[in-house]
Amino acid sequence: MSASDPTNDKILRILGRKGRITNQALAGHVGLSPSATLRRVQAMEASGLIRGYRAVIDPDRAGIGFTAYIAVGLNEHTKRAQGAFERAIAIAPEVRECHNVTGSVEYLLRVEARDLAAYKHFHTEVLGMLPQVARLTTYVVMGSPKDERG
C-alpha cells in the first residue's frame, strides 16, 4: 500500500494531526467503513510507512523554557568524525533532533533546555568538549507560530 493513494493521504494527514483519533472517527472523516479504514492503517503500519505514534509535550508544562537550533560544523569531513559526533549526540538528552544537512555546516540540532543557564552548560560542557566540532552557530527560538512535528 502506498501513500500516493488519495484516501491514504487523507488518513496520514488526519493521523499526523490527531494520532489518538478512534478508528470509527477516522473512518467517518475519510468516507470508508471502519474495517476498511483499519485495514489501510494496519497495512501502512506493517509496511513502515507509519512508524509510530507520539505524545506532543507542552514545553512550558514540562519545564522547557529554552529551545534553540544549532548549526554544527565539523573540523573533519570524514565518516569517522561524523560517526563519533553522532554517537556523542545520541546520548545527549538536550538534543531532540539531529539532522545531517548540506551546505556550510554538517549538522542541524534542535536543543531543548530548562533555561539559558542549562543551555549554556550544554553548549560549553557537552558540545564545546567534542573534538570533532569546529564551529557552532546558535539560533534561539523566540516563538513557533507553526510547528507540525508529531
Side-chain angles (χ1 to χ4, degrees):
M1 185 152 300
S2 99
S4 62
D5 176 284
T7 303
N8 285 356
D9 289 343
K10 192 170 185 180
I11 289 170
L12 292 171
R13 276 193 308 277
I14 293 166
L15 287 175
R17 288 190 315 270
K18 302 179 197 177
R20 291 181 58 125
I21 190 171
T22 66
N23 185 62
Q24 185 82 28
L26 180 60
H29 285 297
V30 298
L32 294 175
S33 70
S35 60
T37 302
L38 183 58
R39 279 194 301 275
R40 283 175 177 260
V41 171
Q42 288 173 332
M44 288 188 280
E45 290 170 344
S47 74
L49 180 61
I50 295 175
R51 296 190 320 193
Y53 300 88
R54 302 178 184 175
V56 178
I57 309 300
D58 182 292
D60 293 330
R61 291 178 185 231
I64 298 175
F66 188 91
T67 302
Y69 286 85
I70 306 170
V72 180
L74 301 184
N75 55 19
E76 291 181 23
H77 303 284
T78 64
K79 187 174 184 174
R80 183 179 51 76
Q82 285 185 326
F85 176 78
E86 289 175 10
R87 285 189 297 280
I89 290 307
I91 61 172
E94 299 87 352
V95 178
R96 304 298 294 154
E97 296 178 40
C98 175
H99 304 279
N100 184 219
V101 298
T102 63
S104 60
V105 297
E106 285 74 34
Y107 291 93
L108 183 63
L109 310 178
R110 184 173 63 84
V111 173
E112 295 178 346
R114 182 180 63 259
D115 53 24
L116 179 59
Y119 171 74
K120 182 179 179 186
H121 178 267
F122 170 74
H123 184 276
T124 305
E125 301 298 325
V126 177
L127 288 179
M129 300 301 286
L130 296 177
Q132 302 82 19
V133 173
R135 65 194 170 285
L136 300 168
T137 304
T138 300
Y139 302 92
V140 176
V141 175
M142 296 183 348
S144 298
K146 182 175 182 179
D147 184 347
E148 293 185 357
R149 284 175 288 130

